Amino acid sequence: MDFRLDFFIWHGWNATKPMCCIYKSNLKRLGILNVTKHEFDYAIVSKNHLKFFWIPDTYVVNAKRVNRPSKALSTEVLKVKINDTGECQLEYSVKLAAVIGCQMEFKHYPVDIQVCPFILRSYSYPYNDVEYKWVVENETLDVNRDLKLLQHNFYLSKSSSKLATLEVTYSTIVVNFTFERRISYHVMQVFAPSALIVMLSWFSFWMGLDAIPGRVTLCITSLLSLFTQFSGIRHDLPAASYINGIDIWMATCMLFVFATLMEFVIIKYLDKQRQIYFRKQVKGTILRGNSQMTLSTDVENGSEMNLSTPPLTPKLAWNIGAVSHHWFKPPSWSLDWVIKIDHVSRVLFPIAFFVFNTFYWPILLTRML
């Protein structure tokens, strides 16, 4: 919510003849204005002698703190020039370092654009006494081409206005710093790794139903990796009550990984229910088969009719399952359907992730325009 700025401030103003006479006498008394020196040259006043002259009390309105870059050397200077008309032309420049506060909005992060004003005004003199103006009003500000920011493109604009504070109106000049965040850093550090983690979790669809440790471990590890990455991202942002663009992305990635884990839980539950149903069918078939009686007669020998019981031969589950019987009806969610759910998920999840990206990225990138 702030940025550091090292800057120079240049002031220029004219003093009337009575005040210029006082300045001229002070310069001679301090030994700065030499009679042998040309009268119309600039006299340079050091920091120790500034108290003998009027200096504008300019201060930064939205600065959190202001200090001087170097305490060993003087970073302010006053130049006094006496014109042939008897008036004085004064120039005062100072170099300062400040931390400028800025009310930033991160709803569109990481494609946000922040406009931070740098406001200067007099601390004690109202608009009627001191008025700040740019030397050239309509001239655009030049940006140092050698100045590079790591994650932002920045632009400058200037203006002048009036600011009312405690029923007092002050003259102000404003420099607007526009910071446009570069998305390339977040593509490599956030979007690409999280997308790869989501795709990595889809490998579980190609594992068998019996690979319980492998599928669960893969999904849980992917989910924890996304949580860790999301925590690192939120650590770099100020605490805010609203949702930004990267929150939606990370939440969607975690939702896809969680859905992959839930898909495995569902198909494993259906497979377990199928096995229980199949075992009940096999158990009932074995009991009915052992209790049946067979009737055999020998008509040719004229012997009496004998009633015999066949030997009790256990029928194995795989033998019963291999033969089609009218008494066995497989459930609608049999093994084929369980496997089909896994196969459909291999295609459905990538399509859903692709559809999400087709809506997410155009909306996100339009914020930069």
Side-chain angles (χ1 to χ4, degrees):
M1 303 291 283
D2 55 40
F3 64 98
R4 179 180 171 85
L5 183 67
D6 295 334
F7 59 94
F8 289 93
I9 300 180
W10 179 90
H11 306 77
W13 69 97
N14 295 325
T16 59
K17 291 182 178 180
M19 185 62 66
C20 186
C21 293
I22 298 175
Y23 289 164
K24 188 175 181 180
S25 61
N26 290 336
L27 292 174
K28 292 181 178 180
R29 181 168 55 87
L30 296 173
I32 300 174
L33 186 63
N34 197 337
V35 293
T36 60
K37 193 174 182 180
H38 195 278
E39 187 178 14
F40 305 115
D41 290 343
Y42 276 105
I44 299 177
V45 181
S46 64
K47 178 182 178 181
N48 298 329
H49 301 147
L50 291 179
K51 59 183 179 179
F52 298 101
F53 301 88
W54 181 86
I55 302 296
D57 56 345
T58 305
Y59 91 109
V60 184
V61 176
N62 55 336
K64 293 183 177 180
R65 57 181 178 272
V66 179
N67 52 23
R68 300 186 183 278
S70 176
K71 295 181 179 180
L73 299 176
S74 176
T75 56
E76 55 183 336
V77 63
L78 175 66
K79 296 180 180 180
V80 182
K81 181 180 181 180
I82 303 174
N83 298 327
D84 53 357
T85 59
E87 295 182 349
C88 291
Q89 182 180 354
L90 295 93
E91 296 180 2
Y92 172 71
S93 62
V94 59
K95 181 181 180 181
L96 299 173
V99 177
I100 311 300
C102 180
Q103 296 296 324
M104 300 182 183
E105 283 285 344
F106 295 97
K107 291 183 179 180
H108 304 147
Y109 180 86
V111 292
D112 54 320
I113 298 176
Q114 309 294 343
V115 180
C116 300
F118 177 66
I119 306 173
L120 298 172
R121 75 166 177 87
S122 174
Y123 185 80
S124 57
Y125 296 99
Y127 174 78
N128 296 329
D129 296 333
V130 174
E131 182 181 359
Y132 287 87
K133 292 183 179 180
W134 293 100
V135 176
V136 181
E137 288 286 346
N138 299 325
E139 185 180 12
T140 59
L141 295 176
D142 295 330
V143 180
N144 186 4
R145 297 182 181 273
D146 296 331
L147 183 59
K148 304 291 182 181
L149 297 182
L150 296 179
Q151 297 186 25
H152 295 84
N153 297 321
F154 76 99
Y155 311 96
L156 298 178
S157 62
K158 66 180 182 180
S159 63
S160 57
S161 61
K162 299 178 183 179
L163 178 65
T165 303
L166 298 177
E167 299 182 354
V168 179
T169 303
Y170 297 93
S171 176
T172 63
I173 56 174
V174 182
V175 180
N176 291 316
F177 289 79
T178 302
F179 297 95
E180 180 181 312
R181 195 181 305 273
R182 299 173 185 171
I183 197 174
S184 57
Y185 169 81
H186 292 85
V187 169
M188 300 303 299
Q189 297 294 327
V190 178
F191 292 106
S194 57
L196 290 177
I197 292 174
V198 174
M199 296 177 185
L200 182 65
S201 67
W202 296 341
F203 289 167
S204 63
F205 297 142
W206 275 263
M207 299 181 182
L209 295 178
D210 296 332
I212 299 177
R215 296 187 70 162
V216 173
T217 303
L218 181 60
C219 293
I220 294 297
T221 304
S222 301
L223 197 59
L224 292 177
S225 300
L226 290 175
F227 272 119
T228 304
Q229 186 183 21
F230 189 39
S231 300
I233 296 171
R234 293 299 302 178
H235 184 266
D236 296 335
L237 292 175
S241 59
Y242 50 81
I243 298 175
N244 55 44
I246 209 164
D247 290 339
I248 299 175
W249 172 264
M250 295 303 299
T252 305
C253 290
M254 289 186 285
L255 181 61
F256 269 95
V257 176
F258 182 75
T260 303
L261 180 61
M262 290 303 300
E263 185 270 347
F264 174 66
V265 172
I266 292 173
I267 64 173
K268 192 61 184 176
Y269 173 78
L270 295 177
D271 181 59
K272 190 69 176 178
Q273 294 298 317
R274 181 196 63 82
Q275 293 179 8
I276 295 174
Y277 182 86
F278 183 76
R279 289 170 185 170
K280 289 181 179 179
Q281 292 284 343
V282 171
K283 184 177 180 181
T285 302
I286 294 175
L287 294 177
R288 287 195 300 270
N290 290 337
S291 62
Q292 289 178 354
M293 305 293 290
T294 60
L295 185 64
S296 62
T297 56
D298 191 352
V299 181
E300 296 180 356
N301 299 330
S303 59
E304 296 180 358
M305 188 176 297
N306 296 325
L307 194 63
S308 61
T309 302
L312 297 176
T313 305
K315 297 184 178 182
L316 301 179
W318 52 80
N319 293 330
I320 296 176
V323 182
S324 177
H325 296 280
H326 66 279
W327 40 262
F328 180 76
K329 182 181 180 181
S332 59
W333 32 264
S334 60
L335 181 62
D336 293 338
W337 282 102
V338 173
I339 295 178
K340 285 181 180 179
I341 294 175
D342 227 7
H343 290 178
V344 171
S345 299
R346 299 177 184 178
V347 181
L348 183 61
F349 274 68
I351 292 177
F353 193 68
F354 175 78
V355 171
F356 165 74
N357 280 272
T358 56
F359 286 96
Y360 176 81
W361 283 103
I363 295 175
L364 190 68
L365 294 178
T366 51
R367 305 297 183 182
M368 300 177 63
L369 302 178

